[in-house]
Amino acid sequence: LPFALEGYAFFIEAIFLGIYIYGWDRLTPRAHWLVGIPIAVSGMISGAFITIVNAWMNGPVGFDTIAGPNGPIIDQSSANPIGAMLSPMVITQVPHVMLSALVAVGGGVAAVYAWAWLKGRTTSYNRAGMLAGTVMFSIAIPLQFISGHLSTVKIYDEQPSKFAAAEGILETGPNQPMHLPFGIEIPSLTSLLINLDTNTVVTGLNDIPSTDLPEKPELVHLAFQLMVGSGLVMMAGAGLFWLNVLRKRRAGKSLELPTNRLTLWLLVLSGPAGFLAVETGW
């Protein structure tokens, strides 16, 4: 059912996208701008329905099982399409994916105009483009870290093998450290973040039956590290950007954007970092 509903959202998006592109010089500026609204809305709805399908695969619901000759089998008469859309994983996965879209697109837009700024194209058009993209991902990226934390706690409850693989935890026990990119390790932080208690016990990969392990635990860990690392790059870019804006404002230059190369390069890197975060997150 979510895939069927996604089809409706997709066609609304496609129809208005056609109007937006081919009506560029035919519509009034106001009408052309308004046509972009259903594109954005239906695009987000489409992504939400696709994520609901993925959430169901992580936490299948909406059916009952009955005894079969070789174990439980699905009772076809119990299938509930609406119930299947309400997997316990939906509440964390959908916001996480929606925010990731805003992060990736905002970072991509900011990167294009930051690169142009580095090349000397400092027009008002480039300024507006860089500011719009940076504002979008600056708002979305802190919310994304909060959403990611809630998703991680949910995975800890529902899929301990995936949690252990993502965090790179081999041995079961409390006081589990947080493994950050670049070999950085923060003692006891993983256990603390789960429920604010460093004594929280985390099951390690060595104590999980081989039948329940991810096929490639090392790839799950690498993907998680790349996702977190990409997010940290974007956080650094956004933080430095607004810090420089604040400094210029205090100096009486409220309309000027940062011009130092470190800030601009971090914004350029925020483009690929946002899309890398999305891909590795999936």
Side-chain angles (χ1 to χ4, degrees):
L1 181 59
F3 264 138
L5 295 173
E6 188 274 335
Y8 287 99
F10 171 81
F11 280 114
I12 292 172
E13 180 184 4
I15 289 167
F16 279 94
L17 185 61
I19 297 172
Y20 185 87
I21 293 174
Y22 295 106
W24 200 289
D25 297 322
R26 296 175 173 85
L27 299 174
T28 65
R30 181 184 296 274
H32 186 252
W33 183 84
L34 290 173
V35 165
I37 295 176
I39 298 174
V41 173
S42 60
M44 294 295 280
I45 293 173
S46 176
F49 281 132
I50 291 173
T51 307
I52 288 172
V53 176
N54 182 269
W56 183 88
M57 291 191 290
N58 284 306
V61 293
F63 60 89
D64 297 324
T65 58
I66 57 178
N70 299 310
I73 60 174
I74 294 175
D75 179 8
Q76 298 288 339
S77 64
S78 70
N80 181 356
I82 300 298
M85 294 176 63
L86 303 177
S87 166
M89 307 300 288
V90 166
I91 195 170
T92 55
Q93 280 192 218
V94 170
H96 197 56
V97 171
M98 296 300 97
L99 285 169
S100 72
L102 299 178
V103 168
V105 173
V109 170
V112 169
Y113 291 105
W115 176 259
W117 205 274
L118 282 168
K119 295 298 182 180
R121 295 196 287 274
T122 56
T123 64
S124 58
Y125 177 84
N126 284 53
R127 178 187 180 281
M130 182 164 61
L131 185 60
T134 305
V135 167
M136 176 181 284
F137 87 79
S138 295
I139 295 172
I141 193 68
L143 296 175
Q144 181 70 313
F145 271 89
I146 296 172
S147 170
H149 168 68
L150 296 176
S151 295
T152 302
V153 172
K154 193 69 174 177
I155 292 171
Y156 169 81
D157 293 331
E158 303 284 343
Q159 297 173 295
S161 62
K162 182 186 288 187
F163 181 87
E167 298 287 353
I169 296 172
L170 299 178
E171 302 296 334
T172 300
N175 301 301
Q176 295 287 359
M178 171 71 73
H179 299 100
L180 296 177
F182 315 115
I184 300 173
E185 184 176 296
I186 304 177
S188 303
L189 186 58
T190 293
S191 292
L192 178 64
L193 289 177
I194 293 171
N195 59 10
L196 303 180
D197 185 358
T198 57
N199 291 318
T200 300
V201 175
V202 179
T203 304
L205 292 173
N206 292 341
D207 293 317
I208 296 174
S210 59
T211 54
D212 294 336
L213 289 175
E215 186 174 344
K216 298 285 185 180
E218 64 279 6
L219 291 183
V220 176
H221 180 62
L222 176 62
F224 185 74
Q225 293 282 292
L226 289 173
M227 180 183 67
V228 173
S230 299
L232 291 175
V233 168
M234 300 189 76
M235 283 282 281
L240 198 56
F241 179 89
W242 294 112
L243 180 61
N244 279 276
V245 168
L246 181 61
R247 286 176 176 173
K248 287 178 177 291
R249 186 173 185 132
R250 287 178 175 175
K253 303 175 181 179
S254 59
L255 297 180
E256 290 194 21
L257 296 186
T259 55
N260 68 81
R261 296 183 69 84
L262 175 59
T263 302
L264 293 172
W265 272 111
L266 281 174
L267 291 184
V268 170
L269 291 175
S270 292
F275 288 97
L276 179 64
V278 171
E279 291 303 315
T280 52
W282 275 103

